[in-house]
Amino acid sequence: MKALKVLIIEDELVTAHDIRETLEKAGHSVTDIVRNLSGALTSIRTSPPDIILIDIYLEHSAEDGIDIAQRIPAERTIPIIYLTGHSEQATIARAQQTRPAAYLLKPFRHKELAIQVELAYYNYQASLVNSIDPFISDSLYLPVDNGRGYTKIRKNDVLYLDADRAYVEIYLVGEPKKRVFAMNLGYIAQFFTAPNFYNLSRSLVVNLDYVERIEKGQFYIKSRSDYPVPFPEANYKLFLQQFAIVKTPNKRDGK
């Protein structure tokens, strides 16, 4: 495994030094810790990193992390990982336009962070050689647990993706058993950007085409009608807005 040079763009210094310690324990080095755009551009010019970790919300910067990410390609082509507490759909959609190598949510697990940084870097390098863009491809090849290769997932066969700590469970059409992958949901969700995929919660991405029934706090999916999938009730109204809902007529209207 190559020791990676990592630039950290984070204005919470306690968090930044925690990230630095985690990466250095894994054998990597941190080229710099910066808090804004000018610091990032200067650091990239003087000590080019292999990969950049960016927080989206930067309290002490006129630009947020996404603004900074948009400026970096003009200096150098470097893979970017967002490490943030923001999981709102609008923020994710905006971040996806910068084609990040990963999107990881805080609070992070130390061991998982190092793994995801390495995965993101090597997947990015592979994408430079491979002419097929995983963002627009109909299929993905995901690494199997034993490290002996990759297994194919057709995006439109995915019923939903469910986070389970450091793993992602993927449920597929026609497969009674889930497939489990050792990766962060925020990382893999960036490849499911078609309108039919919806981030229902921090731990759940659902293919709207396969939703058969919706109730408060749970929904039922095609081919798994006996197994309700739970979700936060607070997201119920927003979830309903993704469908063509026909409401019961008001009897006072004479209908």
Side-chain angles (χ1 to χ4, degrees):
M1 178 195 70
K2 173 184 175 181
L4 300 176
K5 295 179 290 183
V6 185
L7 170 62
I8 299 172
I9 304 175
E10 167 68 72
D11 65 348
E12 293 183 4
L13 294 181
V14 173
T15 302
H17 287 290
D18 196 20
I19 294 170
R20 167 179 248 162
E21 183 179 353
T22 297
L23 294 175
E24 289 178 346
K25 282 183 178 179
H28 307 300
S29 63
V30 173
T31 61
D32 206 351
I33 295 173
V34 299
R35 309 174 78 181
N36 52 39
L37 175 61
S38 61
L41 297 181
T42 299
S43 184
I44 290 169
R45 292 165 188 157
T46 57
S47 302
D50 295 313
I51 196 164
I52 302 175
L53 276 172
I54 305 180
D55 190 3
I56 289 180
Y57 179 68
L58 299 169
E59 185 177 355
H60 302 285
S61 172
E63 300 84 7
D64 69 7
I66 299 174
D67 293 328
I68 294 173
Q70 290 171 337
R71 294 284 301 274
I72 288 172
E75 296 293 325
R76 189 180 289 264
T77 301
I78 305 171
I80 291 166
I81 296 176
Y82 290 114
L83 181 63
T84 180
H86 291 259
S87 60
E88 298 87 354
Q89 192 74 23
T91 301
I92 293 173
R94 186 167 157 250
Q96 285 170 342
Q97 294 177 4
T98 65
R99 295 294 181 88
Y103 190 105
L104 308 180
L105 295 177
K106 295 178 180 179
F108 64 88
R109 296 178 179 85
H110 293 79
K111 184 178 180 181
E112 178 186 342
L113 175 63
I115 291 171
Q116 296 302 333
V117 167
E118 293 160 12
L119 273 174
Y121 175 77
Y122 287 112
N123 282 338
Y124 177 83
Q125 293 301 314
S127 72
L128 297 179
V129 177
N130 189 348
S131 61
I132 299 176
D133 188 339
F135 287 92
I136 61 176
S137 173
D138 292 334
S139 301
L140 297 174
Y141 286 81
L142 301 178
V144 295
D145 276 345
N146 58 21
R148 295 179 180 174
Y150 300 83
T151 184
K152 181 179 180 180
I153 297 287
R154 287 191 72 255
K155 292 181 182 178
N156 283 335
D157 285 344
V158 173
L159 300 169
Y160 64 95
L161 305 93
D162 193 10
D164 181 16
R165 291 168 293 190
Y167 295 88
V168 173
E169 300 172 348
I170 299 182
Y171 296 81
L172 296 164
V173 173
E175 294 191 12
K177 293 185 178 181
K178 63 191 176 187
R179 296 202 203 179
V180 181
F181 298 92
M183 58 180 59
N184 180 280
L185 178 61
Y187 174 68
I188 193 171
Q190 68 186 314
F191 302 111
F192 292 86
T193 58
N196 54 311
F197 286 99
Y198 179 69
N199 287 73
L200 183 49
S201 71
R202 290 182 60 148
S203 62
L204 191 62
V205 176
V206 56
N207 189 338
L208 301 176
D209 292 342
Y210 293 115
V211 176
E212 296 282 293
R213 192 166 96 242
I214 310 164
E215 299 173 358
K216 268 195 174 181
Q218 63 184 25
F219 66 89
Y220 294 82
I221 207 87
K222 184 177 180 180
S223 79
R224 295 180 61 85
S225 57
D226 295 333
Y227 300 93
V229 182
F231 68 91
E233 285 193 22
N235 297 350
Y236 178 62
K237 288 185 178 180
L238 282 176
F239 192 34
L240 286 183
Q241 291 175 12
Q242 311 309 311
F243 303 93
I245 301 295
V246 178
K247 297 182 178 180
T248 305
N250 192 327
K251 292 183 180 180
R252 291 178 295 179
D253 295 336
K255 299 178 181 179

